[in-house]
Amino acid sequence: ALWNTVRLTVLASLITAFCGQFFGYVSTRGRGKWYGSLVEQLVFIPYLIPSIAFGAIFLGMFSVKRGIIPSLYGTFALLTLTSVVKHLPFASRAGTSNMLQISGELEEAAMIEGAGFFRRFAKIVIPLSKGGFISGFMLIFVSIMKELDLIILIMTPNTATLPYLAFQYQNGNAPQASNCVAIVMFSIVFLVYALANIFGDADLAKSMAG
């Protein structure tokens, strides 16, 4: 359960935070255009669906093989996919706030020099959005760490996480064991938060020195 929780939170948070930065970029650079408004509206659809119903939707979608889409029930990939899609609204909002702080004039100057989209995104947008990326990562990390109702329907004994383990202990009249699991979860969050602050400050100091 510990290994499943750590790899789920880290992997899903990284994917979600990166997607959130990208969708935030599309929304901010597309302000006043149809595709910017479309992305901004579509990305908030998962927020309108209750977590337990959202998990049931993905269970129905991937419980059996449908054409070229394989059956993902019982796999770690389904937990990751469900967590990523459900938390995209929060990551997108964080990415939008982050991208609003990056001036579009820098990209315009790069376009004049002949830089393509991917080169501009890699050389300008990503380095300047590290702080917002870390903030979005931590927001999603904490949310996924304590998530239970979202993934309880698609979870199997091989993909059980710490929140489910704490739930099982509590139902089994073992509150002491449940509290121990909660302490482990809090410790992981505090450790990742400390590391994020250390690396974030290191990047800031490096940029100031440069």
Side-chain angles (χ1 to χ4, degrees):
L2 175 62
W3 169 239
N4 288 335
T5 303
V6 170
R7 63 174 179 163
L8 175 64
T9 51
V10 172
L11 181 60
S13 298
L14 285 174
I15 296 174
T16 310
F18 181 80
C19 292
Q21 297 296 314
F22 179 76
F23 289 139
Y25 175 86
V26 175
S27 298
T28 53
R29 297 300 185 264
R31 284 290 173 91
K33 300 178 181 179
W34 68 269
Y35 60 87
S37 300
L38 180 63
V39 170
E40 192 170 3
Q41 295 297 324
L42 289 180
V43 79
F44 269 86
I45 291 179
Y47 181 75
L48 305 176
I49 305 175
S51 296
I52 191 72
F54 197 85
I57 291 173
F58 273 71
L59 175 62
M61 289 173 58
F62 297 101
S63 57
V64 295
K65 183 178 180 180
R66 302 178 187 277
I68 61 173
I69 302 177
S71 173
L72 298 179
Y73 179 72
T75 65
F76 180 78
L78 182 57
L79 267 67
T80 304
L81 177 62
T82 306
S83 300
V84 168
V85 177
K86 178 60 178 176
H87 293 89
L88 270 180
F90 304 103
S92 176
R93 180 56 62 186
T96 300
S97 301
N98 190 29
M99 293 302 167
L100 287 173
Q101 303 177 23
I102 301 177
S103 175
E105 297 176 354
L106 298 174
E107 293 185 75
E108 292 176 1
M111 290 177 61
I112 294 175
E113 293 296 324
F117 169 77
F118 293 103
R119 184 172 180 82
R120 298 197 309 270
F121 199 80
K123 297 297 184 179
I124 298 176
V125 177
I126 292 180
L128 292 177
S129 63
K130 284 183 178 179
F133 179 85
I134 293 176
S135 299
F137 171 84
M138 284 305 306
L139 175 67
I140 305 304
F141 186 91
V142 174
S143 298
I144 297 178
M145 175 62 70
K146 60 183 180 62
E147 196 68 72
L148 178 61
D149 50 347
L150 173 66
I151 58 177
I152 192 169
L153 293 179
I154 58 178
M155 193 182 299
T156 63
N158 292 331
T159 58
T161 59
L162 289 178
Y164 180 75
L165 186 62
F167 175 75
Q168 289 289 86
Y169 281 141
Q170 192 67 35
N171 281 346
N173 197 24
Q176 297 88 351
S178 179
N179 293 336
C180 290
V181 174
I183 292 175
V184 172
M185 293 167 56
F186 292 151
S187 300
I188 294 174
V189 171
F190 292 148
L191 176 61
V192 174
Y193 179 74
L195 292 175
N197 283 335
I198 292 173
F199 285 108
D201 291 340
D203 290 336
L204 178 61
K206 187 184 297 183
S207 63
M208 292 177 64

